Amino acid sequence: MTTRPTLFLTVGLPGTGKTTEARRIEVEEKAVRLTKDEWVKALYGPANPPSASDVIEGRLIEIGLRALELGINVVIDFGLWGRDERSALRQAAADLGAVVEMRYFELPATDQRRRLDRRQAEEPHTTWHMSDEELAEWAAVISIPTRGELDGSEPVDCPPAGFATWESWRRHRWPASVP
């Protein structure tokens, strides 16, 4: 009897513990860890261009889906703030016969700020400065996962208007190349 591979999704704002958990999952679950920030930093240094970020996320997702197809556990380590993003990945995993485990991370804003300041001081090569205004803006736009999303009891939503499938939405959201 073979076990189905698992796609682990880490959801949350910067500094809430996603990467720490992703590193733990990587070891304990023998998962391929796909961390967008590591790639953006390696390729762009101090810059963090949104268009490149979307492409890197998309490339990492494609690698992750291929790994699932090969029976390998995967942990996606980026915020996944939008329910549409999470739905697209839940559907892609289901299409491949994989299990999804979603983990949501949140902290009070003061703890988040403290963690980010410590990371900036101790490991500046791994992060970018984030202002309090940016953190507040991001906190206002994140779609917090529902209990049903987290425990898998809630069915995946239908794709948004204008998209026949989650795959077509996924390819639009995460383009194959920088425009």
Side-chain angles (χ1 to χ4, degrees):
M1 181 171 160
T2 61
T3 59
R4 296 171 25 192
T6 301
L7 175 62
F8 297 90
L9 302 177
T10 62
V11 180
L13 295 168
T16 56
K18 295 180 308 298
T19 298
T20 299
E21 177 68 1
R23 287 178 177 141
R24 187 192 65 72
I25 292 168
E26 174 183 34
V27 172
E28 291 181 7
E29 302 293 337
K30 296 179 177 49
V32 173
R33 179 176 56 89
L34 302 171
T35 302
K36 176 192 71 171
D37 289 352
E38 291 174 359
W39 284 89
V40 174
K41 271 296 196 180
L43 294 170
Y44 294 95
N48 189 4
S51 61
S53 183
D54 291 346
V55 172
I56 290 169
E57 284 183 8
R59 292 296 181 171
L60 292 175
I61 288 166
E62 291 306 313
I63 291 167
L65 295 177
R66 178 64 179 136
L68 290 173
E69 198 172 39
L70 295 171
I72 301 165
N73 294 334
V74 174
V75 58
I76 301 287
D77 177 24
F78 28 99
L80 300 172
W81 298 350
R83 183 178 172 101
D84 286 350
E85 294 173 321
R86 299 186 302 267
S87 293
L89 294 174
R90 288 174 63 206
Q91 185 62 59
D95 292 346
L96 295 171
V99 175
V100 174
E101 285 190 29
M102 190 180 308
R103 314 262 169 101
Y104 173 62
F105 302 86
E106 65 179 330
L107 285 174
T110 54
D111 292 341
Q112 180 189 18
R113 174 84 270 160
R114 182 181 43 76
R115 281 185 177 191
L116 291 170
D117 289 346
R118 185 175 63 229
R119 185 189 317 163
Q120 185 70 47
E122 295 173 1
E123 300 178 272
H125 61 284
T126 67
T127 191
W128 296 269
H129 173 74
M130 294 169 230
S131 69
D132 290 340
E133 293 77 21
E134 287 173 313
L135 295 177
E137 177 185 319
W138 298 335
V141 299
I142 188 172
S143 170
I144 296 170
T146 63
R147 183 180 314 251
E149 267 189 290
L150 291 170
D151 69 17
S153 65
E154 198 171 292
V156 174
D157 298 330
C158 292
F163 296 93
T165 66
W166 275 114
E167 181 178 357
S168 63
W169 183 90
R170 198 175 75 236
R171 296 194 188 291
H172 172 78
R173 166 62 183 90
W174 292 295
S177 62
V178 177

